[in-house]
Amino acid sequence: MVHWSAEEKQLIAGLWGRLSAEQCGAEALARLLIVYPWTQRFFDNFGNLSSPTAIVGNPKVRAHGRKVLTSFGEAIKNLDNLKGTFSKLSELHCDKLHVDPENFRLLGDILIIVLAAHFSKDFTPACQATWQKLVGVVAHALAHKYH
Amino acid sequence: MVLNPNDKSNVKAVFGKIGGQAEEYGAETLERMFAAYPQTKTYFPHFDLGKGSAQVKGHGKKVAAALVEAANNIDDIAGALSKLSDLHAQKLRVDPVNFKLLGQCFLVVVASHNPSLLTPEVHASLDKFLCAVGTVLTAKYR
């Protein structure tokens, strides 16, 4: 089980309270599809992903980004039981969606960049370190049920 | 993975904007890397890694200078960094995974100092560039 210090919990909750899951989620997913275009392989039914502009404006990308980040919010509410929280989602990503877990790490790194751009100087090295740890454990939890 | 003309121009624009702050960015990149990825500190047992360390600042300056050099010679990064590539292969032997970690932290520094500069397209180009630099520096490892 992952241990979270009081400071880490504060750095996570503090930032989370100040961001919009919808906006950050949409941006993170759009950037994932733009910066690592091979990730588009999972979204054949999303319509127009032909250019960065198309991707950013794509309503399915926005909606799915929001879904992903909202799920992240669940993680934050259950920091002491991430594997349990993501158990079903992990099975889904393996059995139905067939997503290589490396993609969870890629999205996590992209989310960090989005947070850095959003929070600027407030995204201190300590803040980044905590959030890198968080995205890492979320990625690990999502990969946990793979077989 | 190849840098197309758009990538090259995006990268040059970023470094043009960063200008003289590159050294500062280099230092902050290292500071963030040591905080977020403590395993990277194993390459610096001889350094004082405390806050404001002159050694970290000095080393950040070197790292930034290398990135600037690569950006200024973006059509031949391998040529521009050939000596550094030899150094990493023969002496430093930093495990290849760490270049991605440094790259991530550099992107965070750029993003946090210039949110509007790092559009998705520029982000993609800069990420590719940093990958290319890492590839060059590890090219002679074996």
Side-chain angles (χ1 to χ4, degrees):
Chain A
M1 210 191 80
V2 183
H3 172 75
W4 301 95
S5 70
E7 194 203 344
E8 286 172 330
K9 289 186 179 182
Q10 169 48 34
L11 285 171
I12 292 170
L15 223 71
W16 187 254
R18 292 167 59 193
L19 67 77
S20 146
E22 164 144 26
Q23 203 188 324
C24 282
E27 188 172 348
L29 188 64
R31 281 180 187 258
L32 180 75
L33 299 174
I34 292 165
V35 177
Y36 307 115
W38 54 93
T39 59
Q40 293 171 25
R41 70 190 297 286
F42 301 108
F43 302 102
D44 278 341
N45 63 334
F46 267 31
N48 187 5
L49 298 178
S50 60
S51 70
T53 312
I55 292 170
V56 168
N58 185 310
K60 285 190 174 179
V61 171
R62 296 200 75 83
H64 194 69
R66 174 188 184 175
K67 197 175 186 184
V68 170
L69 251 265
T70 300
S71 173
F72 217 86
E74 279 310 298
I76 290 175
K77 286 193 222 141
N78 293 281
L79 286 178
D80 295 328
N81 182 24
L82 285 172
K83 290 201 173 90
T85 303
F86 283 124
S87 178
K88 288 260 161 335
L89 259 183
S90 180
E91 286 172 6
L92 178 79
H93 281 76
C94 173
D95 300 331
K96 294 266 151 31
L97 305 177
H98 311 293
V99 177
D100 178 348
E102 179 58 22
N103 292 284
F104 309 142
R105 290 178 258 287
L106 290 179
L107 183 64
D109 278 352
I110 294 269
L111 179 61
I112 298 289
I113 309 280
V114 169
L115 294 178
H118 199 83
F119 291 105
S120 198
K121 299 284 175 2
D122 286 353
F123 198 62
T124 60
C127 206
Q128 181 189 351
T130 299
W131 276 80
Q132 294 281 180
K133 178 178 169 181
L134 177 62
V135 302
V137 302
V138 167
H140 185 78
L142 273 173
H144 190 247
K145 280 307 217 291
Y146 272 56
H147 59 96
Chain B
M1 168 212 40
V2 168
L3 297 174
N4 63 41
N6 266 356
D7 293 323
K8 293 180 183 181
S9 109
N10 283 340
V11 170
K12 282 178 177 305
V14 168
F15 280 90
K17 189 86 204 301
I18 292 175
Q21 293 176 287
E23 292 176 6
E24 210 185 289
Y25 280 32
E28 190 181 332
T29 296
L30 292 179
E31 187 194 348
R32 283 180 181 276
M33 189 182 73
F34 294 139
Y37 310 108
Q39 66 271 29
T40 57
K41 295 191 291 186
T42 58
Y43 292 96
F44 300 91
H46 51 301
F47 266 29
D48 160 26
L49 297 178
K51 194 148 174 57
S53 155
Q55 285 177 305
V56 173
K57 282 195 167 71
H59 196 68
K61 196 170 160 181
K62 274 193 206 170
V63 169
L67 291 177
V68 168
E69 183 68 8
N72 288 340
N73 294 279
I74 205 162
D75 289 324
D76 181 18
I77 297 176
L81 300 187
S82 178
K83 292 231 158 34
L84 254 187
S85 180
D86 291 338
L87 183 73
H88 281 78
Q90 290 154 21
K91 184 149 176 278
L92 304 177
R93 291 168 295 182
V94 173
D95 192 285
V97 311
N98 295 287
F99 296 96
K100 188 171 196 310
L101 306 182
L102 182 82
Q104 168 73 358
C105 291
F106 185 74
L107 284 170
V108 168
V109 172
V110 173
S112 68
H113 286 263
N114 313 270
S116 54
L117 181 63
L118 205 71
T119 62
E121 294 94 323
V122 170
H123 178 170
S125 298
L126 197 55
D127 192 85
K128 281 171 81 172
F129 167 75
L130 293 166
C131 281
V133 169
T135 299
V136 162
L137 291 178
T138 56
K140 302 176 197 174
Y141 273 30
R142 55 178 172 171

